[in-house]
Amino acid sequence: MPGLSPVRGLGVEAGRAAVRLARLPLDVAVEGVGQLTGRLGHARPARSEDRDELCPTEPGIPVLLVHGLADREWVVSSLERGLGGCGAGPFVPVSYNALSPDIRTAARVLADQVELAHSRNEGRPVFLIGYSLGGLIARYYVQRLGGDAYVPLVITLAAPHGGTVTALLAPPHPLLRQLRPGSEVLTELAQPAPGCRTRFVAFYSDLDEAVVPAARARIDHPDLKARNVLVPGVGHLTLPLHQPVIDQIRSLLIAAGQAVAADSLCTRDSGDESEDAET
């Protein structure tokens, strides 16, 4: 896939980091207010009207966008703008408590949102796009919580599927400990997953400063149908905003949507033939 030269990639990433640092105090303040009001990132939709707002009925295949640890929804909103008009949708940002002590808890929150999107959109399957930690949460849900029954496609962007050594240097928060290579959660994901029906596409970069070594953003599991896409010279913050990545995600969603439509047509035709035979 087209990437950037190392020098240009470092410059772009530095610019992204500066913007991110400038926004961080505001995001932390919003996060704190969200906790005080009990409405942290829609992680627990309490009222039916909130649930309806999260998943409006639209004609396409629902796409749930799961953000990373510290970026809130700025990444997923950029992806949504870039992917508009590709025939998929609605695009639903899914937040979770970033201070949650467990990836499993966040995956169960995601499970609720997937089932909601499934029911609100006439039983259609659901596609997942997860950035950074969000990609790991999406994978855990699909691989360990039976999400492959609803989700035929998971796209991850700079997700630490094999953990990252940077987590060894981070504060000893329970969630960050789960990102360390060999953690209990990552050991679970390395276990056999026979029959998992979901297809995975993992985008990763050789210039990722958060997932170290960069190859740990790949999905290397013998039981999973996974494709790994290297995007050279692009940093962790830049990867989900890199236009060639967005263009390829668009192509993946279009192809997956066509496959779902073809499967539905075959199922419907098969049902019609069975009715004719009985008649």
Side-chain angles (χ1 to χ4, degrees):
M1 162 168 290
L4 300 173
S5 68
V7 173
R8 185 181 177 193
L10 286 170
V12 172
E13 186 72 358
R16 299 285 186 196
V19 172
R20 187 71 195 96
L21 287 173
R23 293 184 51 164
L24 188 58
L26 176 60
D27 286 348
V28 170
V30 171
E31 192 86 356
V33 171
Q35 292 182 70
L36 289 174
T37 59
R39 296 174 60 85
L40 180 60
H42 300 114
R44 297 181 184 86
R47 301 177 302 168
S48 59
E49 54 265 38
D50 291 336
R51 295 168 68 89
D52 290 344
E53 289 173 3
L54 282 170
C55 292
T57 300
E58 293 185 16
I61 304 296
V63 181
L64 270 57
L65 304 166
V66 191
H67 68 78
L69 179 62
D71 54 65
R72 292 187 61 80
E73 295 180 3
W74 66 273
V75 168
V76 294
S77 62
S78 298
L79 279 172
E80 183 177 1
R81 289 194 298 271
L83 297 172
C86 72
F91 288 89
V92 183
V94 175
S95 291
Y96 53 87
N97 188 337
L99 302 179
S100 168
D102 192 49
I103 286 174
R104 303 174 188 88
T105 301
R108 286 191 288 270
V109 171
L110 176 58
D112 291 340
Q113 298 300 319
V114 169
E115 292 177 21
L116 174 61
H118 177 73
S119 63
R120 285 285 298 162
N121 289 273
E122 302 178 354
R124 297 185 184 97
V126 178
F127 300 148
L128 296 180
I129 301 176
Y131 168 58
S132 194
L133 176 63
L136 197 59
I137 291 169
R139 178 182 169 188
Y140 190 93
Y141 160 62
V142 166
Q143 185 178 333
R144 302 293 297 176
L145 301 181
D148 62 324
Y150 300 97
V151 179
L153 174 66
V154 173
I155 298 171
T156 69
L157 305 164
H161 292 289
T164 171
V165 299
T166 58
L168 298 172
L169 307 175
H173 186 277
L175 190 150
L176 295 176
R177 285 201 296 266
Q178 292 182 336
L179 300 182
R180 295 174 178 176
S183 71
E184 183 178 337
V185 165
L186 297 180
T187 299
E188 281 187 59
L189 290 175
Q191 292 175 359
C196 183
R197 292 161 284 184
T198 300
R199 184 165 65 97
F200 295 85
V201 180
F203 290 88
Y204 72 106
S205 171
D206 56 1
L207 199 65
D208 194 321
E209 72 282 8
V211 183
V212 180
R216 291 187 179 272
R218 295 170 51 94
I219 298 178
D220 293 313
H221 191 296
D223 294 334
L224 299 182
K225 295 175 286 187
R227 174 186 166 207
N228 297 295
V229 181
L230 173 62
V231 188
V234 175
H236 189 82
L237 298 175
T238 306
L239 184 67
L241 308 178
H242 188 52
Q243 190 60 50
V245 171
I246 294 175
D247 291 342
Q248 186 151 351
I249 293 174
R250 172 186 289 271
S251 297
L252 288 168
L253 293 178
I254 291 173
Q258 292 172 344
V260 167
D263 288 344
S264 298
L265 181 60
C266 290
T267 300
R268 186 167 61 249
D269 290 344
S270 177
D272 292 343
E273 290 175 2
S274 298
E275 291 177 3
D276 291 343
E278 291 175 0
T279 302

